[in-house]
Amino acid sequence: MDKNSIIGYVLIALVLGSFFYFNQPDPDKIEAQKRHQDSIAAVLYEQEQAEIRENEAREAKLAEQSKDSTSFLFNALQGEEKSITLKNEKLSVDISTLGARITSATLADYKNQQGNPITLFDNNDKIELRKSRRNIDELQNQFYFTFDGKEENINTSDMYFIPVEQSDSSVIMRLAFTDDKYIDFCYNLLSDSYMVNLYIDAHNMSSFFPGSTRELGINWEQLIRQQEKGFTFEQQYTNITYKIYDDDTENLNERDNDKEEVKEPVDWIAFKNQFFSCILIAGDRFNDVSLVSDTLHEGRGFMKNCSASMYTEFDPTGKTPTELQFYFGPNKYSTLKESNKLSINPDKDINLHELIYFGWPIVRLINRYFIIYLFDWLTNWGISMGIVLLLLTLIVKAAVYPFTYKSYVSSAKMRALKPYIDEINAKYPKPEDAMRKQQEIMGLYSKYGASPMGGCLPMLIQMPIFIALFNFVPNAIELRQQSFLWAHDLSSYDALISWGTSIWPIGNHISIFCLLFCVTQILNTYYTSKMQPNMGGSPEQEQQMKIMRWMMYIMPVVFFFIFNDYSSGLNYYYFLSTLISVFTFIYLRRAVKEDELLRKMQAYHEANKNNPKKRSGMMARLEALQQEQQRILEEQQKRRKQ
């Protein structure tokens, strides 16, 4: 580091230190801020007390209604909670007679970390969350409907239903107020599917509702269970995702608490974690959707507490039933796409497969129309998933090899021209001649058929494919609980070396695949830096290049602390991809001879000396820009002399 850089850093430190010293708050400001915080805490306390009073009033009213035999809701408030089970080959759901809600969902063909069938949620999921110093809230799974009546309102969470017409895959849960006035909740679990249909049908209920009633309310709250070994990595893929009516999907923040008031109508809402989701699908649409996602801390067994409230169409006359649909299943692209065909609205494509985020539009297209089909084709061979990832990486690397070769040759041309570049650098040693020097260098490139952009463009073309795989591998449920070498689960981190206590920033383990990836990345950086031509320049530019090279060596170390918690499958792919890049460079270094390239460029120059070719649009614009900058610089120098 030179003297000027040291002076610059010292001055920056002095400025920052002075800023913080002179801007620190005085005691009066600190006391005022404390009073402000206390006032906020008081407001929050009053809000919490208001909620408590509201809940107590509601419970008191329910207790009164349950004893008042003249209340229209009296019969519905009496009963005993029982559970009805519907199941098929893939899914089992329990439906409670209290509220007619689905209280649990279990997948038969997927296992949890203990080797048992995966339960996405059940009625026993509970957790205490401290909302403030004075209030502790108990969170649990809830799902209920609300109907606004003329004199009394219906909240299904307090109502007892009677099961009628029950079978292994369907049941009608009846909310009976009198013998001829009731609302039926008809559940139907589709065969060999993860889909459950729900129809809500009113019978002789017109007199109970105002004539303007056209919708019912839905309230859904769920604790998202931790299903995988790596909490940090799974949390990055746990969120609330929703699909705008006839539009794209959106999602709430994965890492922090978030909430959203959705103004547009919504097709469906998903409480999603990395590999499994619970999705509520509207027959028509959801309106006035409000979403809240609270992130939970590791060690509780849950990732997030998600809640959604919304309204959907309802016909009190019973002529048109309200149609809803649930999906309790894996985030598998092919399964979600097949489930689209089972929609209760066959004329509409609900696009459940868009639940899986595959990246930006161009990256998404590569994943959906190339990577997925290639991965499924390799998976159908019945080989180990580690070998599948190896073959997938080799095929992708082979596909981008022409671009890699072109990029390397372009850089080799630049290195071959270095003696000529050194002559130009010696010809223009003064800083004020920098523009003239750059113009002459660009002219040299043009004469010998080289291009400084030739190495960048092929690399940019490859980037979408590499980014596509970065988005694809963590979402590939096929890697879940698949072992390879020392990794027991390619969808989570491999912990061949681990210890009990978490140590920041590394955690409680060392991922060997992550370590291998970082080591090969250092090797790749070493070979890549040798590939870059050194075109000389001012001492300041040389110093900047040295700093950049050191930063390139430091980045793999930073990557280790970032990717140590990532899935072993992703780190394994990065390791393979980087290792293949190193071998490719070694091969190209031997196959492409710079002296031969120089002879070809000299022959090109001699052949076009008397008949120069028109420069490409990019080169012509770049040269024109340099000439304009040189003209402005010369005018400024003339004005200074005058």
PDB file of all heavy atoms in Angstrom, residues 569-585:
ATOM      1  N   GLY A 569     -25.447 -30.848  -1.783  1.00  0.00           N
ATOM      2  CA  GLY A 569     -25.625 -31.008  -3.226  1.00  0.00           C
ATOM      3  C   GLY A 569     -25.193 -29.777  -3.990  1.00  0.00           C
ATOM      4  O   GLY A 569     -24.554 -29.872  -5.046  1.00  0.00           O
ATOM      5  N   LEU A 570     -25.517 -28.585  -3.447  1.00  0.00           N
ATOM      6  CA  LEU A 570     -25.128 -27.339  -4.111  1.00  0.00           C
ATOM      7  C   LEU A 570     -23.621 -27.147  -4.034  1.00  0.00           C
ATOM      8  O   LEU A 570     -22.977 -26.776  -5.028  1.00  0.00           O
ATOM      9  CB  LEU A 570     -25.852 -26.161  -3.463  1.00  0.00           C
ATOM     10  CG  LEU A 570     -25.659 -24.800  -4.122  1.00  0.00           C
ATOM     11  CD1 LEU A 570     -26.165 -24.811  -5.556  1.00  0.00           C
ATOM     12  CD2 LEU A 570     -26.356 -23.699  -3.327  1.00  0.00           C
ATOM     13  N   ASN A 571     -23.028 -27.397  -2.872  1.00  0.00           N
ATOM     14  CA  ASN A 571     -21.572 -27.271  -2.741  1.00  0.00           C
ATOM     15  C   ASN A 571     -20.844 -28.308  -3.588  1.00  0.00           C
ATOM     16  O   ASN A 571     -19.779 -28.030  -4.146  1.00  0.00           O
ATOM     17  CB  ASN A 571     -21.163 -27.415  -1.273  1.00  0.00           C
ATOM     18  CG  ASN A 571     -21.384 -26.144  -0.474  1.00  0.00           C
ATOM     19  OD1 ASN A 571     -21.047 -25.054  -0.919  1.00  0.00           O
ATOM     20  ND2 ASN A 571     -21.970 -26.272   0.699  1.00  0.00           N
ATOM     21  N   TYR A 572     -21.423 -29.499  -3.687  1.00  0.00           N
ATOM     22  CA  TYR A 572     -20.850 -30.548  -4.531  1.00  0.00           C
ATOM     23  C   TYR A 572     -20.860 -30.117  -6.002  1.00  0.00           C
ATOM     24  O   TYR A 572     -19.870 -30.285  -6.729  1.00  0.00           O
ATOM     25  CB  TYR A 572     -21.637 -31.834  -4.332  1.00  0.00           C
ATOM     26  CG  TYR A 572     -21.288 -32.963  -5.264  1.00  0.00           C
ATOM     27  CD1 TYR A 572     -19.992 -33.463  -5.358  1.00  0.00           C
ATOM     28  CD2 TYR A 572     -22.274 -33.555  -6.055  1.00  0.00           C
ATOM     29  CE1 TYR A 572     -19.687 -34.519  -6.216  1.00  0.00           C
ATOM     30  CE2 TYR A 572     -21.983 -34.607  -6.903  1.00  0.00           C
ATOM     31  CZ  TYR A 572     -20.690 -35.083  -6.987  1.00  0.00           C
ATOM     32  OH  TYR A 572     -20.393 -36.116  -7.837  1.00  0.00           O
ATOM     33  N   TYR A 573     -21.972 -29.524  -6.436  1.00  0.00           N
ATOM     34  CA  TYR A 573     -22.045 -29.013  -7.815  1.00  0.00           C
ATOM     35  C   TYR A 573     -21.004 -27.923  -8.052  1.00  0.00           C
ATOM     36  O   TYR A 573     -20.308 -27.911  -9.076  1.00  0.00           O
ATOM     37  CB  TYR A 573     -23.445 -28.484  -8.109  1.00  0.00           C
ATOM     38  CG  TYR A 573     -23.465 -27.495  -9.249  1.00  0.00           C
ATOM     39  CD1 TYR A 573     -23.237 -27.912 -10.560  1.00  0.00           C
ATOM     40  CD2 TYR A 573     -23.651 -26.134  -9.012  1.00  0.00           C
ATOM     41  CE1 TYR A 573     -23.212 -27.004 -11.601  1.00  0.00           C
ATOM     42  CE2 TYR A 573     -23.630 -25.223 -10.044  1.00  0.00           C
ATOM     43  CZ  TYR A 573     -23.407 -25.669 -11.343  1.00  0.00           C
ATOM     44  OH  TYR A 573     -23.375 -24.761 -12.371  1.00  0.00           O
ATOM     45  N   TYR A 574     -20.880 -26.978  -7.094  1.00  0.00           N
ATOM     46  CA  TYR A 574     -19.891 -25.910  -7.237  1.00  0.00           C
ATOM     47  C   TYR A 574     -18.477 -26.479  -7.299  1.00  0.00           C
ATOM     48  O   TYR A 574     -17.636 -26.009  -8.074  1.00  0.00           O
ATOM     49  CB  TYR A 574     -20.000 -24.933  -6.064  1.00  0.00           C
ATOM     50  CG  TYR A 574     -21.078 -23.895  -6.212  1.00  0.00           C
ATOM     51  CD1 TYR A 574     -21.819 -23.456  -5.119  1.00  0.00           C
ATOM     52  CD2 TYR A 574     -21.355 -23.337  -7.448  1.00  0.00           C
ATOM     53  CE1 TYR A 574     -22.804 -22.502  -5.253  1.00  0.00           C
ATOM     54  CE2 TYR A 574     -22.342 -22.387  -7.596  1.00  0.00           C
ATOM     55  CZ  TYR A 574     -23.059 -21.971  -6.491  1.00  0.00           C
ATOM     56  OH  TYR A 574     -24.028 -21.032  -6.632  1.00  0.00           O
ATOM     57  N   PHE A 575     -18.198 -27.468  -6.461  1.00  0.00           N
ATOM     58  CA  PHE A 575     -16.887 -28.104  -6.460  1.00  0.00           C
ATOM     59  C   PHE A 575     -16.594 -28.739  -7.818  1.00  0.00           C
ATOM     60  O   PHE A 575     -15.518 -28.537  -8.407  1.00  0.00           O
ATOM     61  CB  PHE A 575     -16.828 -29.151  -5.345  1.00  0.00           C
ATOM     62  CG  PHE A 575     -15.716 -30.147  -5.487  1.00  0.00           C
ATOM     63  CD1 PHE A 575     -14.382 -29.746  -5.448  1.00  0.00           C
ATOM     64  CD2 PHE A 575     -15.993 -31.491  -5.684  1.00  0.00           C
ATOM     65  CE1 PHE A 575     -13.352 -30.665  -5.588  1.00  0.00           C
ATOM     66  CE2 PHE A 575     -14.977 -32.415  -5.823  1.00  0.00           C
ATOM     67  CZ  PHE A 575     -13.657 -32.008  -5.783  1.00  0.00           C
ATOM     68  N   LEU A 576     -17.573 -29.509  -8.347  1.00  0.00           N
ATOM     69  CA  LEU A 576     -17.390 -30.149  -9.650  1.00  0.00           C
ATOM     70  C   LEU A 576     -17.206 -29.110 -10.755  1.00  0.00           C
ATOM     71  O   LEU A 576     -16.310 -29.230 -11.600  1.00  0.00           O
ATOM     72  CB  LEU A 576     -18.599 -31.032  -9.972  1.00  0.00           C
ATOM     73  CG  LEU A 576     -18.781 -32.299  -9.141  1.00  0.00           C
ATOM     74  CD1 LEU A 576     -20.110 -32.965  -9.507  1.00  0.00           C
ATOM     75  CD2 LEU A 576     -17.632 -33.264  -9.359  1.00  0.00           C
ATOM     76  N   SER A 577     -18.067 -28.093 -10.748  1.00  0.00           N
ATOM     77  CA  SER A 577     -18.022 -27.078 -11.801  1.00  0.00           C
ATOM     78  C   SER A 577     -16.679 -26.342 -11.790  1.00  0.00           C
ATOM     79  O   SER A 577     -16.067 -26.115 -12.845  1.00  0.00           O
ATOM     80  CB  SER A 577     -19.175 -26.092 -11.616  1.00  0.00           C
ATOM     81  OG  SER A 577     -19.159 -25.091 -12.610  1.00  0.00           O
ATOM     82  N   THR A 578     -16.208 -25.974 -10.589  1.00  0.00           N
ATOM     83  CA  THR A 578     -14.940 -25.249 -10.486  1.00  0.00           C
ATOM     84  C   THR A 578     -13.768 -26.144 -10.861  1.00  0.00           C
ATOM     85  O   THR A 578     -12.820 -25.705 -11.535  1.00  0.00           O
ATOM     86  CB  THR A 578     -14.758 -24.703  -9.065  1.00  0.00           C
ATOM     87  OG1 THR A 578     -15.936 -23.996  -8.662  1.00  0.00           O
ATOM     88  CG2 THR A 578     -13.581 -23.746  -9.008  1.00  0.00           C
ATOM     89  N   LEU A 579     -13.813 -27.414 -10.429  1.00  0.00           N
ATOM     90  CA  LEU A 579     -12.734 -28.340 -10.747  1.00  0.00           C
ATOM     91  C   LEU A 579     -12.640 -28.573 -12.255  1.00  0.00           C
ATOM     92  O   LEU A 579     -11.540 -28.603 -12.829  1.00  0.00           O
ATOM     93  CB  LEU A 579     -12.960 -29.668 -10.018  1.00  0.00           C
ATOM     94  CG  LEU A 579     -11.829 -30.700 -10.116  1.00  0.00           C
ATOM     95  CD1 LEU A 579     -10.557 -30.165  -9.470  1.00  0.00           C
ATOM     96  CD2 LEU A 579     -12.256 -32.011  -9.471  1.00  0.00           C
ATOM     97  N   ILE A 580     -13.790 -28.718 -12.906  1.00  0.00           N
ATOM     98  CA  ILE A 580     -13.801 -28.889 -14.361  1.00  0.00           C
ATOM     99  C   ILE A 580     -13.249 -27.637 -15.042  1.00  0.00           C
ATOM    100  O   ILE A 580     -12.530 -27.723 -16.042  1.00  0.00           O
ATOM    101  CB  ILE A 580     -15.222 -29.217 -14.854  1.00  0.00           C
ATOM    102  CG1 ILE A 580     -15.659 -30.593 -14.328  1.00  0.00           C
ATOM    103  CG2 ILE A 580     -15.294 -29.199 -16.378  1.00  0.00           C
ATOM    104  CD1 ILE A 580     -17.119 -30.900 -14.571  1.00  0.00           C
ATOM    105  N   SER A 581     -13.551 -26.459 -14.488  1.00  0.00           N
ATOM    106  CA  SER A 581     -13.013 -25.214 -15.047  1.00  0.00           C
ATOM    107  C   SER A 581     -11.489 -25.187 -14.956  1.00  0.00           C
ATOM    108  O   SER A 581     -10.809 -24.745 -15.893  1.00  0.00           O
ATOM    109  CB  SER A 581     -13.600 -24.005 -14.306  1.00  0.00           C
ATOM    110  OG  SER A 581     -14.997 -23.917 -14.503  1.00  0.00           O
ATOM    111  N   VAL A 582     -10.933 -25.673 -13.835  1.00  0.00           N
ATOM    112  CA  VAL A 582      -9.478 -25.716 -13.680  1.00  0.00           C
ATOM    113  C   VAL A 582      -8.860 -26.646 -14.717  1.00  0.00           C
ATOM    114  O   VAL A 582      -7.878 -26.302 -15.395  1.00  0.00           O
ATOM    115  CB  VAL A 582      -9.109 -26.164 -12.249  1.00  0.00           C
ATOM    116  CG1 VAL A 582      -7.600 -26.426 -12.146  1.00  0.00           C
ATOM    117  CG2 VAL A 582      -9.525 -25.108 -11.238  1.00  0.00           C
ATOM    118  N   PHE A 583      -9.430 -27.857 -14.855  1.00  0.00           N
ATOM    119  CA  PHE A 583      -8.906 -28.804 -15.842  1.00  0.00           C
ATOM    120  C   PHE A 583      -9.051 -28.262 -17.268  1.00  0.00           C
ATOM    121  O   PHE A 583      -8.170 -28.465 -18.113  1.00  0.00           O
ATOM    122  CB  PHE A 583      -9.624 -30.143 -15.719  1.00  0.00           C
ATOM    123  CG  PHE A 583      -9.206 -30.936 -14.509  1.00  0.00           C
ATOM    124  CD1 PHE A 583     -10.127 -31.659 -13.779  1.00  0.00           C
ATOM    125  CD2 PHE A 583      -7.887 -30.954 -14.097  1.00  0.00           C
ATOM    126  CE1 PHE A 583      -9.749 -32.393 -12.671  1.00  0.00           C
ATOM    127  CE2 PHE A 583      -7.491 -31.675 -12.987  1.00  0.00           C
ATOM    128  CZ  PHE A 583      -8.427 -32.398 -12.269  1.00  0.00           C
ATOM    129  N   THR A 584     -10.171 -27.583 -17.521  1.00  0.00           N
ATOM    130  CA  THR A 584     -10.380 -26.991 -18.847  1.00  0.00           C
ATOM    131  C   THR A 584      -9.317 -25.947 -19.137  1.00  0.00           C
ATOM    132  O   THR A 584      -8.765 -25.883 -20.255  1.00  0.00           O
ATOM    133  CB  THR A 584     -11.776 -26.360 -18.932  1.00  0.00           C
ATOM    134  OG1 THR A 584     -12.765 -27.350 -18.672  1.00  0.00           O
ATOM    135  CG2 THR A 584     -12.022 -25.765 -20.315  1.00  0.00           C
ATOM    136  N   PHE A 585      -8.994 -25.130 -18.133  1.00  0.00           N
ATOM    137  CA  PHE A 585      -7.965 -24.110 -18.331  1.00  0.00           C
ATOM    138  C   PHE A 585      -6.612 -24.760 -18.616  1.00  0.00           C
ATOM    139  O   PHE A 585      -5.877 -24.320 -19.513  1.00  0.00           O
ATOM    140  CB  PHE A 585      -7.862 -23.215 -17.100  1.00  0.00           C
ATOM    141  CG  PHE A 585      -6.731 -22.240 -17.179  1.00  0.00           C
ATOM    142  CD1 PHE A 585      -6.880 -21.035 -17.827  1.00  0.00           C
ATOM    143  CD2 PHE A 585      -5.484 -22.537 -16.630  1.00  0.00           C
ATOM    144  CE1 PHE A 585      -5.831 -20.139 -17.930  1.00  0.00           C
ATOM    145  CE2 PHE A 585      -4.428 -21.657 -16.725  1.00  0.00           C
ATOM    146  CZ  PHE A 585      -4.601 -20.454 -17.374  1.00  0.00           C
TER     147      PHE A 585
END
